[in-house]
Amino acid sequence: MSGSLGRAAAAAALLRWGRGVGGGLRGPGVRAAGSGGSGSSEHLDALVKKDKVVVFLKGTPEQPQCGFSNAVVQILRLHGVRDYAAYNVLDDPQLRQGIKDYSNWPTIPQVYLNGEFVGGCDILLQMHQNGDLVEELKKLGIRSALLDEAKDQDSK
């Protein structure tokens, strides 16, 4: 399987697996980018550093508008990450281009942890699969729900 086809297949598999997993993600950390200079590097720098977990996606966590954005939302949901900032790049063309320029990364979604660019769907999926995401969340003071799930399995 080639690289991009492999990533797309892995994302599709995650999406199939994640379907039907509990409710919406509307929470105190999910917010809009707002207006005024949304594409400027100063504004973007403030956005990515404002919250521990920041996602720029197509659509919203409740209604992602592409499979890769949906995969990122599902991964965060699996880990129990509910309080994060999500910015819909489809609402603002300046934000959409600005975040690509800011990160020097050509695609959306984009994930930031503690102000640092992590990558897109493929990187987050890889981190989820190899356990690195659990460790990165721990550094942010976020306990992955998968640790609790593993503990429940061990006690059975």
Side-chain angles (χ1 to χ4, degrees):
M1 217 181 311
S2 74
S4 63
L5 285 177
R7 287 191 300 269
L14 177 66
L15 294 178
R16 281 192 302 276
W17 184 83
R19 281 204 176 106
V21 174
L25 291 179
R26 178 60 66 188
V30 180
R31 51 188 139 287
S35 58
S38 60
S40 73
S41 62
E42 294 83 15
H43 181 72
L44 293 168
D45 199 46
L47 290 180
V48 302
K49 291 178 179 173
K50 186 175 178 182
D51 296 275
K52 290 180 182 180
V53 180
V54 178
V55 181
F56 294 87
L57 69 159
K58 293 179 181 175
T60 65
E62 299 83 9
Q63 220 170 15
Q65 297 297 305
C66 83
F68 296 110
S69 292
N70 190 25
V72 165
V73 169
Q74 293 293 336
I75 292 167
L76 293 174
R77 182 179 290 160
L78 287 171
H79 286 269
V81 179
R82 298 271 192 262
D83 188 24
Y84 62 94
Y87 299 100
N88 182 359
V89 301
L90 298 178
D91 283 347
D92 185 345
Q94 288 180 316
L95 178 65
R96 185 176 186 170
Q97 186 56 50
I99 197 61
K100 292 176 184 181
D101 295 341
Y102 178 83
S103 64
N104 197 27
W105 190 262
T107 60
I108 304 293
Q110 293 187 15
V111 179
Y112 291 78
L113 299 177
N114 211 28
E116 296 293 323
F117 178 60
V118 172
C121 174
D122 54 342
I123 304 295
L124 199 68
L125 180 59
Q126 182 179 39
M127 290 174 70
H128 164 70
Q129 291 172 333
N130 67 21
D132 288 347
L133 186 54
V134 169
E135 294 304 314
E136 290 302 315
L137 291 173
K138 189 185 296 183
K139 291 177 188 176
L140 301 177
I142 300 170
R143 180 175 171 81
S144 171
L146 295 182
L147 292 175
D148 297 331
E149 189 176 294
K151 186 190 289 185
D152 289 345
Q153 292 297 323
D154 290 345
S155 66
K156 288 183 182 178

